[in-house]
Amino acid sequence: MVELLAARGLDSSDEWIVERTGIRNRHFVADGMQASDLAFQACRAALAAAGLKVSDIDLIVLATSTPDMVFPSTATILQHKLTQAALAEGDASGAGGAAFDVQAVCSGFIYALTVADSLIKTGTATKALVVGAEVFSRILDFNDRTTCVLFGDGAGAVVLEACEHDGSGAGILASDIHADGKHTGILCVPGTVCGGAVLGDPLLKMDGQAVFKLAVGVLEDAARAVLAKAGKTEADVDWLVPHQANIRIMQSTARKLKLPMDKVVVTVDQHGNTSAASIPLALDHAVRGGLVKPGQTVLMEGVGGGFTWGAVLVKM
Ligand code: UT7
């Protein structure tokens, strides 16, 4: 990346990026790959981990700001890809029920979890795939060193399932989601499709310092609000899985909540900021790595363009 910037006459260094953000690596998709392709891989892994088939799923909620198309939703494209793969492997049927996208930028996964949880609790769905998938490499301005070094591509997914109370108390304990549209200008892609052409600028713009200041404030508020809703305190949190934008934002949140950093799942060094994919990627890393265990309480929280922010408290 630093070489790419230098070739464009822009000055940066690995030292600056690591010190200011904590990012060491990130991943970009190959040409022709879309958010639904990343989501497909993540969903297959989530279904395998849950011991479920595609035909068990009756809801897909996909969080993305980098959809395959203007419409239909990436969730419906994903549903078709999952169904085709299932049929090819001999399953009698594919995924059914509703499939739709949620657009809340880096808070997308928190919003998607909240929506899927609500649909399950009202009996509308029984087994949901909740996915965050992004190809932010497609909307980066490689002439802007203040943003192009930060973001990466990725996807992560979980399965949410309705279950009778088994006494374990496992499940989503509480959610807290918010938006304030007056901050649109500090993090946006101010372009659209109109009359067969792109109108405006289709590349990401961010006022990093303004976003940073807002983020540290609302992440503390969301954490406290979701804990209060669940009747819990910071002392009940086994793991904080925050949106992976900047290690300094995560450290600040942990300090404010009096959580030691060894209770914070950090993957920003490996993936950079993958927007709606960052929380499920970090959760996957923590679960598969044996950090997060059944029975533990996990606080997930995100913040992003809109401005949007929120938190979900889960007992695993
Ligand atoms: O996911 C959605 C939420 N997004 C976020 O949470 C991002 C929040 N913001 C941030 O993470 C940080 O504000 C950044 C990482 C974007 C920037 O860090 P910062 O400590 O706020 O740096 P800054 O904007 O104050 O810039 C400091 C200096 C500036 O130079 P001068 O004006 O002091 O001479 C920048 O021009 O660093 C310069 N700079 C760079 N230098 C080398 C900005 N980008 C780069 C770069 N390489 N890539």
Side-chain angles (χ1 to χ4, degrees):
M1 172 52 61
V2 170
E3 290 76 17
L4 183 67
L5 291 181
R8 289 166 190 251
L10 299 172
D11 183 26
S12 191
S13 65
D14 287 332
E15 291 71 33
W16 189 95
I17 298 167
V18 172
E19 189 191 314
R20 299 284 178 134
T21 70
I23 298 168
R24 291 178 185 276
N25 291 302
R26 57 170 168 176
H27 306 272
F28 286 176
V29 289
D31 287 349
M33 232 182 156
Q34 308 253 46
S36 65
D37 298 309
L38 295 180
F40 174 81
Q41 300 293 344
C43 288
R44 298 266 286 182
L47 286 168
L52 293 174
K53 298 197 300 279
V54 168
S55 53
D56 295 321
I57 297 299
D58 56 10
L59 173 67
I60 298 176
V61 186
L62 185 146
T64 190
S65 300
T66 47
D68 291 15
M69 302 181 189
V70 172
F71 72 80
S73 70
T74 304
T76 58
I77 297 169
L78 167 67
Q79 187 201 53
H80 182 62
K81 287 182 178 174
L82 287 169
T83 296
Q84 292 296 102
L87 296 178
E89 287 164 6
D91 283 356
S93 63
F100 59 92
D101 289 359
V102 163
Q103 220 283 36
V105 201
C106 304
S107 313
F109 186 72
I110 297 295
Y111 270 58
L113 262 186
T114 303
V115 170
D117 180 47
S118 305
L119 289 173
I120 286 176
K121 283 181 175 151
T122 56
T124 306
T126 59
K127 291 186 183 66
L129 273 168
V130 185
V131 201
E134 301 281 16
V135 286
F136 258 56
S137 57
R138 302 271 159 75
I139 54 168
L140 294 179
D141 179 353
F142 289 98
N143 290 308
D144 177 7
R145 68 174 184 170
T146 68
T147 54
C148 74
V149 301
L150 304 174
F151 295 89
D153 302 338
V158 299
V159 176
L160 281 191
E161 185 174 0
C163 60
E164 296 302 320
H165 279 297
D166 58 3
S168 71
I172 292 186
L173 305 179
S175 295
D176 185 67
I177 52 174
H178 297 272
D180 184 347
K182 75 169 173 280
H183 302 294
T184 299
I186 63 172
L187 178 50
C188 57
V189 177
T192 188
V193 177
C194 178
V198 173
L199 197 68
D201 190 337
L203 299 177
L204 184 148
K205 311 277 171 253
M206 181 170 74
D207 176 344
Q209 285 193 4
V211 172
F212 195 105
K213 276 186 206 135
L214 262 169
V216 294
V218 297
L219 287 173
E220 180 187 7
D221 295 346
R224 294 199 190 287
V226 82
L227 286 168
K229 277 187 185 176
K232 305 275 184 194
T233 71
E234 296 87 322
D236 296 309
V237 176
D238 294 302
W239 291 101
L240 175 65
V241 184
H243 171 47
Q244 307 285 316
N246 186 317
I247 186 69
R248 292 184 292 136
I249 296 177
M250 291 183 248
Q251 288 163 339
S252 163
T253 307
R255 226 173 8 252
K256 289 179 175 190
L257 298 176
K258 297 195 170 50
L259 289 173
M261 277 310 282
D262 58 11
K263 284 190 168 189
V264 183
V265 176
V266 176
T267 54
V268 69
D269 56 324
Q270 299 171 39
H271 303 132
N273 183 345
T274 56
S275 192
S278 89
I279 295 171
L281 269 173
L283 182 66
D284 184 70
H285 165 88
V287 170
R288 288 181 198 272
L291 299 175
V292 170
K293 298 184 184 65
Q296 290 190 322
T297 300
V298 176
L299 173 57
M300 293 178 256
E301 56 174 0
V303 58
F307 232 59
T308 58
W309 65 96
V312 171
L313 193 70
V314 185
K315 186 162 180 198
M316 300 296 287

PDB file of all heavy atoms in Angstrom, residues 243-276:
ATOM      1  N   HIS A 243     -16.422  -2.876  16.913  1.00  0.00           N
ATOM      2  CA  HIS A 243     -16.103  -2.606  15.509  1.00  0.00           C
ATOM      3  C   HIS A 243     -14.608  -2.325  15.402  1.00  0.00           C
ATOM      4  O   HIS A 243     -14.042  -1.590  16.205  1.00  0.00           O
ATOM      5  CB  HIS A 243     -16.923  -1.405  15.027  1.00  0.00           C
ATOM      6  CG  HIS A 243     -16.518  -0.905  13.681  1.00  0.00           C
ATOM      7  ND1 HIS A 243     -16.314  -1.739  12.606  1.00  0.00           N
ATOM      8  CD2 HIS A 243     -16.245   0.362  13.234  1.00  0.00           C
ATOM      9  CE1 HIS A 243     -15.961  -1.027  11.553  1.00  0.00           C
ATOM     10  NE2 HIS A 243     -15.898   0.245  11.913  1.00  0.00           N
ATOM     11  N   GLN A 244     -13.991  -2.936  14.403  1.00  0.00           N
ATOM     12  CA  GLN A 244     -12.529  -2.874  14.273  1.00  0.00           C
ATOM     13  C   GLN A 244     -12.149  -1.754  13.298  1.00  0.00           C
ATOM     14  O   GLN A 244     -11.887  -1.997  12.114  1.00  0.00           O
ATOM     15  CB  GLN A 244     -12.003  -4.215  13.769  1.00  0.00           C
ATOM     16  CG  GLN A 244     -12.461  -5.417  14.589  1.00  0.00           C
ATOM     17  CD  GLN A 244     -11.744  -5.541  15.923  1.00  0.00           C
ATOM     18  OE1 GLN A 244     -10.532  -5.383  15.989  1.00  0.00           O
ATOM     19  NE2 GLN A 244     -12.488  -5.819  16.988  1.00  0.00           N
ATOM     20  N   ALA A 245     -12.146  -0.511  13.799  1.00  0.00           N
ATOM     21  CA  ALA A 245     -11.756   0.618  12.942  1.00  0.00           C
ATOM     22  C   ALA A 245     -10.377   1.123  13.309  1.00  0.00           C
ATOM     23  O   ALA A 245      -9.569   1.429  12.432  1.00  0.00           O
ATOM     24  CB  ALA A 245     -12.770   1.755  13.062  1.00  0.00           C
ATOM     25  N   ASN A 246     -10.111   1.200  14.611  1.00  0.00           N
ATOM     26  CA  ASN A 246      -8.871   1.820  15.055  1.00  0.00           C
ATOM     27  C   ASN A 246      -8.576   1.327  16.468  1.00  0.00           C
ATOM     28  O   ASN A 246      -9.442   1.422  17.343  1.00  0.00           O
ATOM     29  CB  ASN A 246      -9.049   3.353  15.048  1.00  0.00           C
ATOM     30  CG  ASN A 246      -7.766   4.077  15.345  1.00  0.00           C
ATOM     31  OD1 ASN A 246      -7.016   3.697  16.231  1.00  0.00           O
ATOM     32  ND2 ASN A 246      -7.524   5.142  14.600  1.00  0.00           N
ATOM     33  N   ILE A 247      -7.397   0.807  16.698  1.00  0.00           N
ATOM     34  CA  ILE A 247      -7.054   0.266  18.015  1.00  0.00           C
ATOM     35  C   ILE A 247      -7.189   1.330  19.097  1.00  0.00           C
ATOM     36  O   ILE A 247      -7.572   1.034  20.235  1.00  0.00           O
ATOM     37  CB  ILE A 247      -5.618  -0.348  18.002  1.00  0.00           C
ATOM     38  CG1 ILE A 247      -5.298  -1.054  19.335  1.00  0.00           C
ATOM     39  CG2 ILE A 247      -4.552   0.690  17.716  1.00  0.00           C
ATOM     40  CD1 ILE A 247      -6.058  -2.290  19.601  1.00  0.00           C
ATOM     41  N   ARG A 248      -6.951   2.593  18.749  1.00  0.00           N
ATOM     42  CA  ARG A 248      -7.029   3.653  19.767  1.00  0.00           C
ATOM     43  C   ARG A 248      -8.482   3.885  20.211  1.00  0.00           C
ATOM     44  O   ARG A 248      -8.734   4.208  21.363  1.00  0.00           O
ATOM     45  CB  ARG A 248      -6.406   4.952  19.237  1.00  0.00           C
ATOM     46  CG  ARG A 248      -4.888   4.834  19.060  1.00  0.00           C
ATOM     47  CD  ARG A 248      -4.286   6.154  18.632  1.00  0.00           C
ATOM     48  NE  ARG A 248      -4.674   6.535  17.295  1.00  0.00           N
ATOM     49  CZ  ARG A 248      -5.057   7.753  16.918  1.00  0.00           C
ATOM     50  NH1 ARG A 248      -5.124   8.728  17.786  1.00  0.00           N
ATOM     51  NH2 ARG A 248      -5.365   8.001  15.659  1.00  0.00           N
ATOM     52  N   ILE A 249      -9.438   3.706  19.293  1.00  0.00           N
ATOM     53  CA  ILE A 249     -10.853   3.825  19.683  1.00  0.00           C
ATOM     54  C   ILE A 249     -11.222   2.672  20.618  1.00  0.00           C
ATOM     55  O   ILE A 249     -11.910   2.854  21.627  1.00  0.00           O
ATOM     56  CB  ILE A 249     -11.769   3.838  18.436  1.00  0.00           C
ATOM     57  CG1 ILE A 249     -11.480   5.080  17.583  1.00  0.00           C
ATOM     58  CG2 ILE A 249     -13.242   3.777  18.840  1.00  0.00           C
ATOM     59  CD1 ILE A 249     -12.272   5.157  16.292  1.00  0.00           C
ATOM     60  N   MET A 250     -10.729   1.471  20.295  1.00  0.00           N
ATOM     61  CA  MET A 250     -11.028   0.305  21.146  1.00  0.00           C
ATOM     62  C   MET A 250     -10.408   0.474  22.531  1.00  0.00           C
ATOM     63  O   MET A 250     -11.036   0.165  23.552  1.00  0.00           O
ATOM     64  CB  MET A 250     -10.500  -0.968  20.478  1.00  0.00           C
ATOM     65  CG  MET A 250     -11.271  -1.338  19.229  1.00  0.00           C
ATOM     66  SD  MET A 250     -10.665  -2.888  18.539  1.00  0.00           S
ATOM     67  CE  MET A 250      -9.937  -2.298  17.055  1.00  0.00           C
ATOM     68  N   GLN A 251      -9.180   0.978  22.581  1.00  0.00           N
ATOM     69  CA  GLN A 251      -8.517   1.181  23.880  1.00  0.00           C
ATOM     70  C   GLN A 251      -9.274   2.216  24.717  1.00  0.00           C
ATOM     71  O   GLN A 251      -9.449   2.051  25.921  1.00  0.00           O
ATOM     72  CB  GLN A 251      -7.062   1.640  23.658  1.00  0.00           C
ATOM     73  CG  GLN A 251      -6.174   0.524  23.147  1.00  0.00           C
ATOM     74  CD  GLN A 251      -4.867   1.028  22.548  1.00  0.00           C
ATOM     75  OE1 GLN A 251      -4.742   2.182  22.146  1.00  0.00           O
ATOM     76  NE2 GLN A 251      -3.875   0.145  22.482  1.00  0.00           N
ATOM     77  N   SER A 252      -9.748   3.263  24.035  1.00  0.00           N
ATOM     78  CA  SER A 252     -10.478   4.314  24.745  1.00  0.00           C
ATOM     79  C   SER A 252     -11.787   3.755  25.324  1.00  0.00           C
ATOM     80  O   SER A 252     -12.134   4.026  26.477  1.00  0.00           O
ATOM     81  CB  SER A 252     -10.753   5.462  23.766  1.00  0.00           C
ATOM     82  OG  SER A 252     -11.747   6.283  24.250  1.00  0.00           O
ATOM     83  N   THR A 253     -12.509   2.969  24.518  1.00  0.00           N
ATOM     84  CA  THR A 253     -13.768   2.377  25.000  1.00  0.00           C
ATOM     85  C   THR A 253     -13.499   1.457  26.186  1.00  0.00           C
ATOM     86  O   THR A 253     -14.213   1.497  27.197  1.00  0.00           O
ATOM     87  CB  THR A 253     -14.458   1.572  23.873  1.00  0.00           C
ATOM     88  OG1 THR A 253     -14.590   2.405  22.726  1.00  0.00           O
ATOM     89  CG2 THR A 253     -15.817   1.066  24.283  1.00  0.00           C
ATOM     90  N   ALA A 254     -12.467   0.639  26.065  1.00  0.00           N
ATOM     91  CA  ALA A 254     -12.148  -0.297  27.147  1.00  0.00           C
ATOM     92  C   ALA A 254     -11.811   0.472  28.428  1.00  0.00           C
ATOM     93  O   ALA A 254     -12.272   0.107  29.523  1.00  0.00           O
ATOM     94  CB  ALA A 254     -10.975  -1.188  26.735  1.00  0.00           C
ATOM     95  N   ARG A 255     -11.033   1.548  28.275  1.00  0.00           N
ATOM     96  CA  ARG A 255     -10.660   2.365  29.447  1.00  0.00           C
ATOM     97  C   ARG A 255     -11.912   2.928  30.121  1.00  0.00           C
ATOM     98  O   ARG A 255     -12.074   2.848  31.327  1.00  0.00           O
ATOM     99  CB  ARG A 255      -9.762   3.504  28.968  1.00  0.00           C
ATOM    100  CG  ARG A 255      -8.533   3.701  29.835  1.00  0.00           C
ATOM    101  CD  ARG A 255      -7.532   4.698  29.323  1.00  0.00           C
ATOM    102  NE  ARG A 255      -7.852   5.504  28.185  1.00  0.00           N
ATOM    103  CZ  ARG A 255      -7.314   5.363  26.976  1.00  0.00           C
ATOM    104  NH1 ARG A 255      -6.434   4.405  26.750  1.00  0.00           N
ATOM    105  NH2 ARG A 255      -7.645   6.168  25.991  1.00  0.00           N
ATOM    106  N   LYS A 256     -12.807   3.488  29.317  1.00  0.00           N
ATOM    107  CA  LYS A 256     -14.013   4.107  29.881  1.00  0.00           C
ATOM    108  C   LYS A 256     -14.891   3.084  30.594  1.00  0.00           C
ATOM    109  O   LYS A 256     -15.552   3.401  31.574  1.00  0.00           O
ATOM    110  CB  LYS A 256     -14.820   4.783  28.778  1.00  0.00           C
ATOM    111  CG  LYS A 256     -14.137   6.043  28.255  1.00  0.00           C
ATOM    112  CD  LYS A 256     -14.951   6.642  27.157  1.00  0.00           C
ATOM    113  CE  LYS A 256     -14.348   7.952  26.706  1.00  0.00           C
ATOM    114  NZ  LYS A 256     -15.201   8.694  25.824  1.00  0.00           N
ATOM    115  N   LEU A 257     -14.917   1.855  30.053  1.00  0.00           N
ATOM    116  CA  LEU A 257     -15.751   0.812  30.665  1.00  0.00           C
ATOM    117  C   LEU A 257     -14.990   0.027  31.738  1.00  0.00           C
ATOM    118  O   LEU A 257     -15.516  -0.944  32.285  1.00  0.00           O
ATOM    119  CB  LEU A 257     -16.249  -0.155  29.581  1.00  0.00           C
ATOM    120  CG  LEU A 257     -17.130   0.459  28.488  1.00  0.00           C
ATOM    121  CD1 LEU A 257     -17.480  -0.593  27.433  1.00  0.00           C
ATOM    122  CD2 LEU A 257     -18.406   1.050  29.086  1.00  0.00           C
ATOM    123  N   LYS A 258     -13.750   0.448  31.967  1.00  0.00           N
ATOM    124  CA  LYS A 258     -12.881  -0.219  32.959  1.00  0.00           C
ATOM    125  C   LYS A 258     -12.715  -1.717  32.649  1.00  0.00           C
ATOM    126  O   LYS A 258     -12.717  -2.568  33.547  1.00  0.00           O
ATOM    127  CB  LYS A 258     -13.413  -0.018  34.378  1.00  0.00           C
ATOM    128  CG  LYS A 258     -13.412   1.452  34.796  1.00  0.00           C
ATOM    129  CD  LYS A 258     -13.575   1.623  36.285  1.00  0.00           C
ATOM    130  CE  LYS A 258     -13.338   3.037  36.745  1.00  0.00           C
ATOM    131  NZ  LYS A 258     -14.075   4.083  35.999  1.00  0.00           N
ATOM    132  N   LEU A 259     -12.596  -2.013  31.342  1.00  0.00           N
ATOM    133  CA  LEU A 259     -12.336  -3.390  30.920  1.00  0.00           C
ATOM    134  C   LEU A 259     -10.861  -3.486  30.528  1.00  0.00           C
ATOM    135  O   LEU A 259     -10.375  -2.654  29.760  1.00  0.00           O
ATOM    136  CB  LEU A 259     -13.177  -3.762  29.685  1.00  0.00           C
ATOM    137  CG  LEU A 259     -14.674  -3.936  29.871  1.00  0.00           C
ATOM    138  CD1 LEU A 259     -15.350  -4.135  28.522  1.00  0.00           C
ATOM    139  CD2 LEU A 259     -14.960  -5.139  30.766  1.00  0.00           C
ATOM    140  N   PRO A 260     -10.140  -4.483  31.018  1.00  0.00           N
ATOM    141  CA  PRO A 260      -8.745  -4.643  30.585  1.00  0.00           C
ATOM    142  C   PRO A 260      -8.693  -5.037  29.109  1.00  0.00           C
ATOM    143  O   PRO A 260      -9.631  -5.681  28.614  1.00  0.00           O
ATOM    144  CB  PRO A 260      -8.224  -5.779  31.466  1.00  0.00           C
ATOM    145  CG  PRO A 260      -9.440  -6.521  31.900  1.00  0.00           C
ATOM    146  CD  PRO A 260     -10.568  -5.531  31.945  1.00  0.00           C
ATOM    147  N   MET A 261      -7.612  -4.673  28.415  1.00  0.00           N
ATOM    148  CA  MET A 261      -7.529  -4.979  26.979  1.00  0.00           C
ATOM    149  C   MET A 261      -7.510  -6.490  26.721  1.00  0.00           C
ATOM    150  O   MET A 261      -7.826  -6.914  25.614  1.00  0.00           O
ATOM    151  CB  MET A 261      -6.299  -4.311  26.350  1.00  0.00           C
ATOM    152  CG  MET A 261      -6.487  -2.858  25.961  1.00  0.00           C
ATOM    153  SD  MET A 261      -7.977  -2.527  24.957  1.00  0.00           S
ATOM    154  CE  MET A 261      -7.468  -3.075  23.314  1.00  0.00           C
ATOM    155  N   ASP A 262      -7.180  -7.301  27.720  1.00  0.00           N
ATOM    156  CA  ASP A 262      -7.213  -8.743  27.433  1.00  0.00           C
ATOM    157  C   ASP A 262      -8.646  -9.301  27.453  1.00  0.00           C
ATOM    158  O   ASP A 262      -8.856 -10.491  27.231  1.00  0.00           O
ATOM    159  CB  ASP A 262      -6.263  -9.543  28.342  1.00  0.00           C
ATOM    160  CG  ASP A 262      -6.565  -9.373  29.821  1.00  0.00           C
ATOM    161  OD1 ASP A 262      -7.636  -8.812  30.150  1.00  0.00           O
ATOM    162  OD2 ASP A 262      -5.738  -9.794  30.648  1.00  0.00           O
ATOM    163  N   LYS A 263      -9.636  -8.406  27.661  1.00  0.00           N
ATOM    164  CA  LYS A 263     -11.040  -8.817  27.463  1.00  0.00           C
ATOM    165  C   LYS A 263     -11.590  -8.245  26.151  1.00  0.00           C
ATOM    166  O   LYS A 263     -12.787  -8.333  25.891  1.00  0.00           O
ATOM    167  CB  LYS A 263     -11.898  -8.315  28.626  1.00  0.00           C
ATOM    168  CG  LYS A 263     -11.736  -9.110  29.901  1.00  0.00           C
ATOM    169  CD  LYS A 263     -12.814  -8.678  30.884  1.00  0.00           C
ATOM    170  CE  LYS A 263     -12.884  -9.647  32.058  1.00  0.00           C
ATOM    171  NZ  LYS A 263     -14.058  -9.356  32.892  1.00  0.00           N
ATOM    172  N   VAL A 264     -10.733  -7.616  25.364  1.00  0.00           N
ATOM    173  CA  VAL A 264     -11.171  -7.005  24.105  1.00  0.00           C
ATOM    174  C   VAL A 264     -10.650  -7.835  22.933  1.00  0.00           C
ATOM    175  O   VAL A 264      -9.440  -8.104  22.852  1.00  0.00           O
ATOM    176  CB  VAL A 264     -10.661  -5.553  23.984  1.00  0.00           C
ATOM    177  CG1 VAL A 264     -11.179  -4.904  22.699  1.00  0.00           C
ATOM    178  CG2 VAL A 264     -11.078  -4.732  25.206  1.00  0.00           C
ATOM    179  N   VAL A 265     -11.549  -8.254  22.055  1.00  0.00           N
ATOM    180  CA  VAL A 265     -11.123  -9.006  20.865  1.00  0.00           C
ATOM    181  C   VAL A 265     -10.636  -7.992  19.820  1.00  0.00           C
ATOM    182  O   VAL A 265     -11.389  -7.104  19.415  1.00  0.00           O
ATOM    183  CB  VAL A 265     -12.281  -9.858  20.305  1.00  0.00           C
ATOM    184  CG1 VAL A 265     -11.856 -10.555  19.022  1.00  0.00           C
ATOM    185  CG2 VAL A 265     -12.750 -10.870  21.349  1.00  0.00           C
ATOM    186  N   VAL A 266      -9.381  -8.145  19.411  1.00  0.00           N
ATOM    187  CA  VAL A 266      -8.769  -7.209  18.458  1.00  0.00           C
ATOM    188  C   VAL A 266      -8.335  -7.974  17.214  1.00  0.00           C
ATOM    189  O   VAL A 266      -7.514  -8.899  17.296  1.00  0.00           O
ATOM    190  CB  VAL A 266      -7.549  -6.499  19.089  1.00  0.00           C
ATOM    191  CG1 VAL A 266      -6.867  -5.612  18.061  1.00  0.00           C
ATOM    192  CG2 VAL A 266      -7.965  -5.679  20.308  1.00  0.00           C
ATOM    193  N   THR A 267      -8.898  -7.588  16.065  1.00  0.00           N
ATOM    194  CA  THR A 267      -8.471  -8.174  14.789  1.00  0.00           C
ATOM    195  C   THR A 267      -8.176  -7.099  13.749  1.00  0.00           C
ATOM    196  O   THR A 267      -7.916  -7.419  12.598  1.00  0.00           O
ATOM    197  CB  THR A 267      -9.545  -9.140  14.223  1.00  0.00           C
ATOM    198  OG1 THR A 267     -10.788  -8.437  14.153  1.00  0.00           O
ATOM    199  CG2 THR A 267      -9.711 -10.374  15.074  1.00  0.00           C
ATOM    200  N   VAL A 268      -8.231  -5.828  14.168  1.00  0.00           N
ATOM    201  CA  VAL A 268      -7.990  -4.744  13.202  1.00  0.00           C
ATOM    202  C   VAL A 268      -6.606  -4.873  12.578  1.00  0.00           C
ATOM    203  O   VAL A 268      -6.405  -4.499  11.424  1.00  0.00           O
ATOM    204  CB  VAL A 268      -8.187  -3.363  13.876  1.00  0.00           C
ATOM    205  CG1 VAL A 268      -7.108  -3.055  14.892  1.00  0.00           C
ATOM    206  CG2 VAL A 268      -8.287  -2.254  12.839  1.00  0.00           C
ATOM    207  N   ASP A 269      -5.670  -5.456  13.322  1.00  0.00           N
ATOM    208  CA  ASP A 269      -4.317  -5.646  12.774  1.00  0.00           C
ATOM    209  C   ASP A 269      -4.336  -6.602  11.593  1.00  0.00           C
ATOM    210  O   ASP A 269      -3.533  -6.478  10.673  1.00  0.00           O
ATOM    211  CB  ASP A 269      -3.372  -6.160  13.871  1.00  0.00           C
ATOM    212  CG  ASP A 269      -3.887  -7.438  14.527  1.00  0.00           C
ATOM    213  OD1 ASP A 269      -5.120  -7.579  14.693  1.00  0.00           O
ATOM    214  OD2 ASP A 269      -3.066  -8.307  14.853  1.00  0.00           O
ATOM    215  N   GLN A 270      -5.276  -7.549  11.578  1.00  0.00           N
ATOM    216  CA  GLN A 270      -5.297  -8.565  10.512  1.00  0.00           C
ATOM    217  C   GLN A 270      -6.165  -8.190   9.311  1.00  0.00           C
ATOM    218  O   GLN A 270      -5.925  -8.652   8.203  1.00  0.00           O
ATOM    219  CB  GLN A 270      -5.838  -9.885  11.062  1.00  0.00           C
ATOM    220  CG  GLN A 270      -5.014 -10.463  12.188  1.00  0.00           C
ATOM    221  CD  GLN A 270      -5.725 -11.648  12.823  1.00  0.00           C
ATOM    222  OE1 GLN A 270      -6.345 -12.456  12.135  1.00  0.00           O
ATOM    223  NE2 GLN A 270      -5.652 -11.749  14.136  1.00  0.00           N
ATOM    224  N   HIS A 271      -7.242  -7.406   9.568  1.00  0.00           N
ATOM    225  CA  HIS A 271      -8.231  -7.165   8.502  1.00  0.00           C
ATOM    226  C   HIS A 271      -8.402  -5.709   8.120  1.00  0.00           C
ATOM    227  O   HIS A 271      -9.065  -5.423   7.119  1.00  0.00           O
ATOM    228  CB  HIS A 271      -9.609  -7.676   8.942  1.00  0.00           C
ATOM    229  CG  HIS A 271      -9.634  -9.119   9.323  1.00  0.00           C
ATOM    230  ND1 HIS A 271     -10.218  -9.588  10.463  1.00  0.00           N
ATOM    231  CD2 HIS A 271      -9.122 -10.200   8.702  1.00  0.00           C
ATOM    232  CE1 HIS A 271     -10.067 -10.898  10.546  1.00  0.00           C
ATOM    233  NE2 HIS A 271      -9.399 -11.288   9.477  1.00  0.00           N
ATOM    234  N   GLY A 272      -7.867  -4.769   8.919  1.00  0.00           N
ATOM    235  CA  GLY A 272      -8.211  -3.369   8.723  1.00  0.00           C
ATOM    236  C   GLY A 272      -9.677  -3.166   9.058  1.00  0.00           C
ATOM    237  O   GLY A 272     -10.302  -3.994   9.730  1.00  0.00           O
ATOM    238  N   ASN A 273     -10.223  -2.059   8.583  1.00  0.00           N
ATOM    239  CA  ASN A 273     -11.636  -1.756   8.839  1.00  0.00           C
ATOM    240  C   ASN A 273     -12.483  -2.360   7.718  1.00  0.00           C
ATOM    241  O   ASN A 273     -12.460  -1.885   6.585  1.00  0.00           O
ATOM    242  CB  ASN A 273     -11.813  -0.234   8.903  1.00  0.00           C
ATOM    243  CG  ASN A 273     -13.238   0.180   9.243  1.00  0.00           C
ATOM    244  OD1 ASN A 273     -14.153  -0.620   9.172  1.00  0.00           O
ATOM    245  ND2 ASN A 273     -13.404   1.441   9.606  1.00  0.00           N
ATOM    246  N   THR A 274     -13.220  -3.410   8.045  1.00  0.00           N
ATOM    247  CA  THR A 274     -14.069  -4.072   7.037  1.00  0.00           C
ATOM    248  C   THR A 274     -15.542  -3.711   7.235  1.00  0.00           C
ATOM    249  O   THR A 274     -16.431  -4.465   6.833  1.00  0.00           O
ATOM    250  CB  THR A 274     -13.897  -5.607   7.081  1.00  0.00           C
ATOM    251  OG1 THR A 274     -14.192  -6.055   8.406  1.00  0.00           O
ATOM    252  CG2 THR A 274     -12.490  -6.028   6.696  1.00  0.00           C
ATOM    253  N   SER A 275     -15.790  -2.564   7.865  1.00  0.00           N
ATOM    254  CA  SER A 275     -17.144  -2.033   8.012  1.00  0.00           C
ATOM    255  C   SER A 275     -18.103  -3.074   8.618  1.00  0.00           C
ATOM    256  O   SER A 275     -17.805  -3.609   9.676  1.00  0.00           O
ATOM    257  CB  SER A 275     -17.633  -1.490   6.666  1.00  0.00           C
ATOM    258  OG  SER A 275     -18.807  -0.728   6.843  1.00  0.00           O
ATOM    259  N   ALA A 276     -19.203  -3.387   7.936  1.00  0.00           N
ATOM    260  CA  ALA A 276     -20.205  -4.284   8.530  1.00  0.00           C
ATOM    261  C   ALA A 276     -19.664  -5.688   8.790  1.00  0.00           C
ATOM    262  O   ALA A 276     -20.269  -6.464   9.538  1.00  0.00           O
ATOM    263  CB  ALA A 276     -21.432  -4.364   7.632  1.00  0.00           C
TER     264      ALA A 276
END
